[in-house]
Amino acid sequence: HPETDPGRVEIRFGSSTSIMDYSAMDILHKIGMEYANRGKSVTFRSLCPASERLISKANHLVKSIEYTSRDVDVKDMPHDQERNNMVG
């Protein structure tokens, strides 16, 4: 929750998770704005290439979305570690 979370929050996407359409991207944007309005940041980690392209296409509309590429194969991460890396 933005009010009680630390100043920097990371949300890690699972290996089968992707952003399918602009309504999902709008939700990420709203989450980013909620944190930004409280002087905090949220970064969405391990996005698949298709999700990155969708965000890039709409960058002028959703500048509050911070993300990283899928550089870690989440399915190889132990379940407990994956849960510990998720905040929100």
Side-chain angles (χ1 to χ4, degrees), residues 64-88:
S64 68
I65 298 177
E66 292 183 38
Y67 65 93
T68 64
S69 300
R70 183 171 288 160
D71 56 351
V72 174
D73 193 355
V74 178
K75 69 181 179 194
D76 292 337
M77 186 182 293
H79 186 67
D80 289 340
Q81 183 179 355
E82 182 178 348
R83 184 174 34 238
N84 290 338
N85 288 329
M86 298 178 80
V87 180

Side-chain angles (χ1 to χ4, degrees), residues 29-67:
H29 172 71
K30 288 177 181 178
I31 291 169
M33 292 304 298
E34 283 290 319
Y35 281 87
N37 289 337
R38 289 171 174 77
K40 299 179 179 187
S41 67
V42 61
T43 303
F44 301 96
R45 298 247 180 240
S46 302
L47 290 180
C48 69
S51 296
E52 288 182 49
R53 284 191 299 275
L54 188 64
I55 291 173
S56 292
K57 286 181 182 179
N59 191 31
H60 63 285
L61 299 173
V62 291
K63 292 182 181 184
S64 68
I65 298 177
E66 292 183 38
Y67 65 93

Side-chain angles (χ1 to χ4, degrees), residues 5-40:
D5 281 345
R8 294 186 56 98
V9 173
E10 295 182 1
I11 299 174
R12 184 172 300 274
F13 280 73
S15 60
S16 63
T17 306
S18 63
I19 298 169
M20 300 301 291
D21 57 24
Y22 288 100
S23 62
M25 198 166 30
D26 184 51
I27 295 297
L28 298 182
H29 172 71
K30 288 177 181 178
I31 291 169
M33 292 304 298
E34 283 290 319
Y35 281 87
N37 289 337
R38 289 171 174 77
K40 299 179 179 187

